Amino acid sequence: MITDAAPFAAAAHADAIDQLRAVGREFHGRSWSLGTSSNYSVVVSRDPLELLVTASGKDKSALGRDDFVRVDAAGRVVDGSGRRSSAETLLHCTLAGMIPSVGAVLHTHSVWGTILSAADLPRGSLRVAGYEMLKGLEGIGTHDTAEEVPIFANTQDMVELSVRLRRHFAGVDWTAPGRPPAHGFLLSGHGLYTWGRDLAEARRHIEIFEFLFECVARARMLPPGDRSAAPAMAQRQQQQQQQQQQ
């Protein structure tokens, strides 16, 4: 129950909470956030940095208005509710603090993201190239490109993982115009993190990445001679689906 010490959920951030609840229902329905997995956040203040993030251990298909907490830049709960934030809250705070344009961060546990992140960990990244749907990622305007999605070894130590994130992206200029330096990353055997200027953009990035991950994984199942044709095949299937919907 919301207390007088934590009126934010019922008032100031009610719209954001309802949008996050809708994301949870959708992602659960698409098998990207099953059980109590995944976590979502939106930035509610930049100075000081504060985020609204899902509380720990919540079924994402049935998030209630009380299932969110407000945290500071260090991931500490500051709303007086007494609830615990998600175990990975610090990663959300690290991303929001590192990338000035971030307005929302989303994390999913899909089958394809889990498999590919484990398979490509030795390489250090997952390469996605040649697919039309890459244009759904902010700043990309052609299929004739590649996205290297960094992969980090999984851990339960969020402080250590946050340090690795900062080290990996050290020196990156997130304010430069044009295509962002990165759109997301994977945790090995775990799942995807992506972000956006607002919740709608972050949601779109999840949808695009999850589509692309499935394309990459299914393409690897094809006989070697057919793999180079996979992006074109996926593009044709997408066009056929769009025509059917018209």
Side-chain angles (χ1 to χ4, degrees):
M1 180 177 295
I2 299 170
T3 66
D4 290 341
F8 71 93
H13 307 305
D15 288 345
I17 285 174
D18 285 343
Q19 292 172 28
L20 288 167
R21 294 173 67 203
V23 164
R25 291 190 296 270
E26 178 191 1
F27 286 6
H28 180 274
R30 301 178 80 167
S31 297
W32 299 338
S33 294
L34 298 180
T36 60
S37 71
S38 303
N39 33 77
Y40 321 133
S41 70
V42 293
V43 175
V44 295
S45 171
R46 270 287 165 191
D47 187 17
L49 180 63
E50 292 185 348
L51 284 72
L52 187 69
V53 63
T54 43
S56 178
K58 300 299 180 180
D59 180 348
K60 301 308 181 294
S61 71
L63 289 170
R65 288 190 173 88
D66 292 356
D67 292 336
F68 300 86
V69 295
R70 196 172 76 245
V71 300
D72 64 14
R76 295 180 295 253
V77 177
V78 294
D79 58 43
S81 65
R83 292 185 290 270
R84 288 193 305 120
S85 65
S86 168
E88 296 170 33
T89 295
L90 186 58
L91 299 186
H92 291 248
C93 298
T94 298
L95 289 167
M98 187 169 56
I99 309 172
S101 63
V102 163
V105 178
L106 299 175
H107 172 46
T108 50
H109 288 228
S110 72
V111 171
W112 301 117
T114 300
I115 292 172
L116 290 171
S117 61
D120 283 21
L121 176 62
R123 185 177 179 273
S125 65
L126 172 66
R127 183 176 178 81
V128 184
Y131 289 99
E132 179 73 11
M133 288 288 271
L134 282 163
K135 290 162 59 178
L137 299 177
E138 186 64 25
I140 296 181
T142 176
H143 72 283
D144 190 16
T145 188
E147 179 83 0
E148 291 283 353
V149 186
I151 304 175
F152 299 93
N154 194 29
T155 180
Q156 303 306 307
D157 185 342
M158 294 303 111
V159 173
E160 186 272 336
L161 181 53
S162 294
V163 170
R164 272 192 280 149
L165 282 176
R166 290 187 179 280
R167 185 181 302 127
H168 179 86
F169 291 114
V172 170
D173 183 2
W174 294 101
T175 64
R179 178 173 173 172
H183 295 91
F185 65 85
L186 287 160
L187 298 179
S188 177
H190 183 156
L192 167 70
Y193 268 89
T194 187
W195 50 85
R197 290 169 296 185
D198 53 28
L199 186 56
E201 184 172 284
R203 182 209 158 276
R204 188 182 81 235
H205 285 168
I206 286 285
E207 187 169 49
I208 295 298
F209 270 128
E210 296 294 1
F211 175 91
L212 293 170
F213 292 165
E214 184 170 355
C215 286
V216 171
R218 290 188 181 276
R220 292 182 183 183
M221 300 175 191
L222 295 172
D226 296 336
R227 292 179 185 176
S228 61
M233 291 167 58
Q235 182 176 345
R236 286 197 298 270
Q237 291 173 352
Q238 180 194 359
Q239 291 171 344
Q240 290 171 357
Q241 292 173 353
Q242 290 174 342
Q243 290 172 357
Q244 291 171 357
Q245 294 172 356
Q246 292 176 351

